Amino acid sequence: MEWLLALAKGTAACGLLSYTFYRSMTAFFLMLPAAALFPIYERRRRKERRLEELAAQMKEGMMILAGNLSSGFAIENALSVSRDELVMMYGEEGLLPREFAYMAQQVRVNRTAEEVLEDLAERSGLEDIRNFSEVFSVAKRSGGDLSGIMRHTAEVLRDKMQVREEIRTMTASRQFEQKIMSLIPFLIVFYVEGASPGFFGQMYGTSLGRVLMSGCLAAYLISLALAGKFLDIRV
């Protein structure tokens, strides 16, 4: 159903673009194959949103796990206790509580804590979790102050995540403005066409007009891509 909904959104977008820039069913059918790309885009967008949610929860999860290790819990018990605390924060269906429950279950069937953390890092693809996993593995093999090292690492990574969240908060208003501005060309065309029917007749009925509208469409799509790049600030 999600794929069908995304495909319907892509089809609607193609219809809007073809009507605004060409007023042609032929243009709509030529654009229609591009609608098949929309589910792929939607999947990537949802994945990024889930990773952001996981990263935000991991910021707290690392501190809770490090705190439980400092309290003297073995890593197996620390995972279970941390999971219970995360459930109170994010609920049973939270991304990180489910991951911690899975890791605790894997440790109980004789997988090492290093392996389950590395597995989480690989599946999530998040750099912060990978760094946390690598530091944990080195600290445990070296036999040093595991709880102290993990707490320091968690604090460093949490500070980095907080900077990322602050940047996201600062750019949230700009992202909203960008979405509004992306609708302005359509609103202008519809307003002018409604106020003065036939005003754009030359743009849709002549070869030169179609070329100019194609250039406008290309400029519009490029501006959308550039706006997304400008607002995608990585830390």
Side-chain angles (χ1 to χ4, degrees):
M1 290 302 298
E2 291 176 349
W3 277 82
L4 290 175
L5 181 60
L7 188 61
K9 290 180 179 179
T11 303
C14 291
L16 179 63
L17 291 174
S18 62
Y19 178 80
T20 304
F21 290 94
Y22 297 104
R23 301 286 170 86
S24 169
M25 288 298 297
T26 301
F28 171 71
F29 287 116
L30 290 175
M31 290 182 182
L32 201 55
L37 300 177
F38 202 85
I40 300 175
Y41 165 77
E42 185 71 12
R43 181 182 181 182
R44 186 179 66 179
R45 189 176 67 86
R46 292 192 179 197
K47 177 183 177 181
E48 291 176 351
R49 191 162 54 194
R50 285 171 62 86
L51 287 178
E52 290 176 0
E53 181 182 352
L54 179 61
Q57 294 182 13
M58 193 64 188
K59 179 183 68 174
E60 302 299 332
M62 288 187 298
M63 293 300 299
I64 292 173
L65 180 60
N68 286 324
L69 289 172
S70 299
S71 300
F73 285 101
I75 182 61
E76 296 82 1
N77 295 328
L79 285 170
S80 297
V81 174
S82 300
R83 184 260 177 189
D84 294 338
E85 295 183 38
L86 289 168
V87 166
M88 291 188 291
M89 298 176 63
Y90 302 112
E92 289 282 352
E93 296 302 315
L95 293 177
L96 199 59
R98 285 188 291 172
E99 289 293 344
F100 268 53
Y102 173 76
M103 289 192 292
Q105 186 270 335
Q106 290 295 299
V107 170
R108 285 195 294 270
V109 296
N110 294 326
R111 289 192 70 188
T112 65
E114 298 96 309
E115 289 176 344
V116 296
L117 280 173
E118 183 179 354
D119 179 56
L120 175 60
E122 289 296 326
R123 288 186 292 108
S124 68
L126 290 174
E127 181 183 359
D128 295 326
I129 299 180
R130 183 176 294 108
N131 292 338
F132 186 78
S133 171
E134 292 174 353
V135 171
F136 178 83
S137 299
V138 172
K140 194 168 184 182
R141 286 197 301 266
S142 65
D145 181 11
L146 178 61
S147 60
I149 294 173
M150 297 312 298
R151 178 176 291 277
H152 175 71
T153 303
E155 289 175 352
V156 171
L157 293 177
R158 185 181 65 171
D159 291 342
K160 178 182 176 182
M161 291 179 181
Q162 285 178 339
V163 171
R164 187 184 295 121
E165 289 178 1
E166 289 175 2
I167 292 175
R168 189 177 296 115
T169 301
M170 293 171 62
T171 58
S173 60
R174 296 293 178 265
Q175 291 175 347
F176 180 74
E177 291 174 4
Q178 187 267 329
K179 292 178 181 179
I180 297 298
M181 292 301 295
S182 65
L183 297 176
I184 294 299
F186 302 101
L187 296 178
I188 291 176
V189 170
F190 293 153
Y191 173 77
V192 173
E193 187 67 20
S196 303
F199 185 84
F200 290 117
Q202 293 296 318
M203 305 301 292
Y204 300 125
T206 64
S207 298
L208 180 59
R210 295 192 184 96
V211 171
L212 290 174
M213 293 302 283
S214 297
C216 291
L217 175 60
Y220 175 74
L221 295 177
I222 291 172
S223 67
L224 286 182
L226 289 177
K229 291 291 184 182
F230 291 154
L231 294 173
D232 185 21
I233 301 174
R234 303 286 180 174
V235 178

